[in-house]
Amino acid sequence: MNDITAIILTYNEEKHIERCIQSIKKYSDNIYIVDSYSTDNTIQLCKSLGVNILQNKFINQSKQFAWALDNIDFKTEWILRLDADEYLEDDLINEIKNKLPNIPKDIVGINLKRKHLFMNKWIKFGGRYPLRLLRLWRNGHGYIEDRWMDEHIMVEGGKTITFNNNFCDHNLNNLSFFINKHDWYAGREVVDILSSVLKINNGKKKLTSTNTSFNVSLKRYLKENLYNKLPIGFGPLLYFLYRYVILLGFLDGKSGLIYHFLQGFWYRFLVECKLIEYKKAIENLESKEEIIKKLSELQGLKF
């Protein structure tokens, strides 16, 4: 017990944060909130629950989490990453209690299965369950990718395994929040795509099935080497049909249709549209410095 330190990044998460913290407290009291200067009741709730609170200016998830890893004095063997709108299910907590003390030393990372609820409906099909994500790792063996979007934990110095039970991703905000968030995500993903194409911040370590989960590394490989090279519109359409028909997404019902269409087609198409817009905005710029400045202006980012 108590051999895990959990890190949760927050910004205006009063709807979710107590649920998240209470689930972790069933196993460990070592909880750190890294807050981006919330303006709601997030901090007050965290104080009332007796967790550690740090605050740092937000740039992106990757840099914020890297800052947390650099600034927290870890006393535990294991570190857990959890988002504020996520929580550990009881079966997973029991599995952690039973298995973690006996994990061999050559195991340095543990993949957990994500169970995603959308509009209060468990999305079971369309390839969305189980998503195996590396969220638990030995202190000193894990680090986070330096990306603007879709960043993952990677480990070194050992092997990874997968636990059997779930953590739950259940955002309680409305559909407008989902749409606005994914609009914001789309621009950040475009910055990552252009940074790769133009070799800005080159030399990043690649995801592999050794340093993270297999499904994450395969998805990244297919996206970079196949999907991103398709003509505009083809990728989103094929991806949606693959998820909704071949992977039986239609079995998720009405909520599933909304989710698979918005996340599997609309969002992917929005990324392609923003990519065209951003490419046009930088087409006459020659230096990397000018390109970075323009991308920063378009997306409201600071590099």
Side-chain angles (χ1 to χ4, degrees):
M1 291 288 287
N2 263 345
D3 203 26
I4 289 178
T5 297
I7 304 173
I8 310 166
L9 305 187
T10 60
Y11 177 71
N12 290 349
E13 291 288 356
E14 64 182 7
K15 287 185 179 180
H16 304 112
I17 192 60
E18 184 172 1
R19 182 186 65 184
C20 179
I21 290 172
Q22 294 290 15
S23 77
I24 299 169
K25 276 181 169 285
K26 294 177 182 179
Y27 183 86
S28 176
D29 292 323
N30 300 309
I31 301 171
Y32 280 83
I33 301 298
V34 181
D35 184 72
S36 305
Y37 298 96
S38 292
T39 57
D40 66 355
N41 291 319
T42 298
I43 294 299
Q44 290 85 339
L45 286 169
C46 292
K47 286 180 178 178
S48 71
L49 293 166
V51 299
N52 303 289
I53 302 169
L54 302 174
Q55 288 187 301
N56 187 54
K57 185 178 179 181
F58 186 84
I59 299 175
N60 60 38
Q61 295 283 118
S62 174
K63 294 186 186 304
Q64 190 78 330
F65 203 87
W67 183 90
L69 292 176
D70 288 340
N71 286 275
I72 294 172
D73 184 16
F74 295 101
K75 305 293 186 183
T76 60
E77 178 73 11
W78 295 88
I79 300 171
L80 171 71
R81 176 190 180 186
L82 211 61
D83 292 342
D85 59 357
E86 298 170 343
Y87 59 91
L88 306 176
E89 293 194 332
D90 286 344
D91 287 344
L92 176 59
I93 294 169
N94 289 331
E95 185 176 11
I96 291 171
K97 287 179 181 178
N98 293 329
K99 291 184 177 179
L100 201 63
N102 302 311
I103 296 291
K105 290 294 184 182
D106 63 333
I107 303 299
V108 298
I110 301 173
N111 302 310
L112 306 179
K113 295 179 180 179
R114 189 183 78 160
K115 173 181 173 180
H116 187 202
L117 274 69
F118 176 79
M119 298 178 71
N120 298 316
K121 165 79 175 182
W122 180 7
I123 305 298
K124 297 181 182 179
F125 299 97
R128 306 307 289 172
Y129 179 81
L131 288 180
R132 298 172 179 87
L133 303 174
L134 203 158
R135 293 298 192 91
L136 186 59
W137 65 95
R138 284 192 194 273
N139 187 0
H141 289 271
Y143 56 100
I144 195 162
E145 286 185 284
D146 182 12
R147 293 175 62 88
W148 286 95
M149 260 300 297
D150 197 30
E151 73 292 335
H152 291 279
I153 297 293
M154 296 190 287
V155 293
E156 56 188 2
K159 298 182 291 187
T160 64
I161 60 172
T162 300
F163 277 180
N164 296 320
N165 292 290
N166 306 319
F167 72 97
C168 190
D169 179 343
H170 184 194
N171 193 290
L172 301 173
N173 289 299
N174 62 21
L175 199 57
S176 294
F177 178 90
F178 177 91
I179 291 169
N180 291 332
K181 180 178 73 171
H182 280 75
D183 178 46
W184 183 62
Y185 284 173
R188 287 173 172 251
E189 184 164 339
V190 169
V191 172
D192 270 333
I193 292 171
L194 290 175
S195 295
S196 177
V197 170
L198 301 171
K199 302 189 184 308
I200 298 170
N201 297 329
N202 206 20
K204 297 176 183 177
K205 190 170 182 179
K206 294 288 186 181
L207 290 177
T208 69
S209 58
T210 301
N211 61 30
T212 194
S213 68
F214 173 76
N215 66 270
V216 164
S217 60
L218 177 62
K219 178 182 174 183
R220 178 72 58 77
Y221 177 83
L222 292 174
K223 182 186 287 187
E224 293 180 348
N225 294 279
L226 177 61
Y227 180 91
N228 286 346
K229 297 178 181 180
L230 294 173
I232 183 171
F234 275 72
L237 180 59
L238 292 174
Y239 182 51
F240 169 70
L241 292 175
Y242 174 67
R243 274 173 58 164
Y244 197 67
V245 179
I246 305 300
L247 297 182
L248 308 180
F250 63 89
L251 294 178
D252 285 317
K254 187 185 296 183
S255 295
L257 172 59
I258 296 169
Y259 175 75
H260 291 300
F261 180 80
L262 289 178
Q263 205 270 342
F265 177 79
W266 170 79
Y267 171 69
R268 301 293 349 146
F269 189 61
L270 182 62
V271 170
E272 294 188 350
C273 294
K274 289 201 173 195
L275 182 59
I276 293 171
E277 179 186 32
Y278 284 26
K279 278 183 175 179
K280 186 172 180 62
I282 65 173
E283 63 183 355
N284 294 319
L285 303 180
E286 296 182 358
S287 71
K288 287 185 179 179
E289 290 75 17
E290 289 178 310
I291 293 170
I292 291 171
K293 182 179 179 181
K294 175 55 70 173
L295 291 175
S296 178
E297 291 172 357
L298 288 167
Q299 189 58 18
L301 303 173
K302 291 185 178 180
F303 283 75

